[in-house]
Amino acid sequence: MIQTHTSKDIPVSRKERAALLFEEIITNNRLELADEIFASEFYWPQFDLHGPEGVRTWVRAFRTAFPDMQDHVVEQVEEGDTVVSRLRCVGTQLGPFRGLPPSGRTADFTAIGIDRFEGNMIVERSAWFDIADLMRQLGHKVLEVPVLDRP
């Protein structure tokens, strides 16, 4: 697990920088760190989010649904300007998620994050997980896919 960071000691390694999203920004709600690792021109096409504020918007929505979410990096691979992270995510759905009411149930699932860097800043990302498995764990039987995939 990565130690808690201040903006003065943000890691230089791209793997460590990518891990900060999961282990600090999401898990510890350290939203201010988004400015340190996401470029101003950052784009998350999957959710049509831009810049560090777009990351904060997504994290706020995700943590509203899962306020106790713990994301831990299990494995990372770096190739060229891309870092792929495999995560273990554990959290209890206490708020609405993708239009579904809170279930009060805990889910334990795997997610994959793919981050593209320019220099030491993330400029683009995508994230993938098995939504059907997550819905089963949360006890939801029906999921209507939203027009735009939002958190």
Side-chain angles (χ1 to χ4, degrees):
M1 180 152 153
I2 293 180
Q3 298 174 357
T4 300
H5 295 278
T6 67
S7 61
K8 292 182 176 92
D9 62 11
I10 298 297
V12 175
S13 154
R14 287 178 171 175
K15 286 182 184 180
E16 288 180 308
R17 290 175 72 80
L20 285 177
L21 171 62
F22 314 111
E23 297 188 347
E24 287 295 334
I25 297 173
I26 294 171
T27 297
N28 294 321
N29 204 29
R30 302 272 318 276
L31 300 177
E32 75 280 3
L33 292 178
D35 294 308
E36 305 292 333
I37 62 172
F38 292 93
S40 59
E41 66 274 12
F42 167 78
Y43 183 50
W44 195 341
Q46 193 173 4
F47 300 118
D48 193 31
L49 297 171
H50 300 267
E53 189 55 39
V55 173
R56 285 188 284 271
T57 297
W58 184 86
V59 172
R60 283 185 199 105
F62 195 62
R63 287 186 56 86
T64 295
F66 300 94
D68 64 345
M69 181 55 66
Q70 299 287 306
D71 281 8
H72 298 288
V73 174
V74 175
E75 178 180 22
Q76 290 181 301
V77 176
E78 182 176 351
E79 181 72 30
D81 63 357
T82 302
V83 173
V84 178
S85 304
R86 182 169 59 95
L87 317 161
R88 179 177 182 210
C89 308
V90 181
T92 307
Q93 188 199 5
L94 299 177
F97 179 67
R98 297 186 179 218
L100 298 169
S103 68
R105 294 177 70 173
T106 299
D108 185 337
F109 60 100
T110 297
I112 304 292
I114 304 170
D115 294 295
R116 187 172 64 81
F117 283 78
E118 285 184 8
N120 279 337
M121 302 299 279
I122 298 172
V123 294
E124 187 175 5
R125 90 173 320 266
S126 59
W128 307 97
F129 62 95
D130 184 343
I131 188 76
D133 177 54
L134 178 59
M135 293 300 108
R136 275 191 295 278
Q137 288 186 55
L138 296 175
H140 298 298
K141 304 291 185 206
V142 177
L143 172 67
E144 290 187 31
V145 179
V147 176
L148 178 63
D149 196 9
R150 290 273 179 192

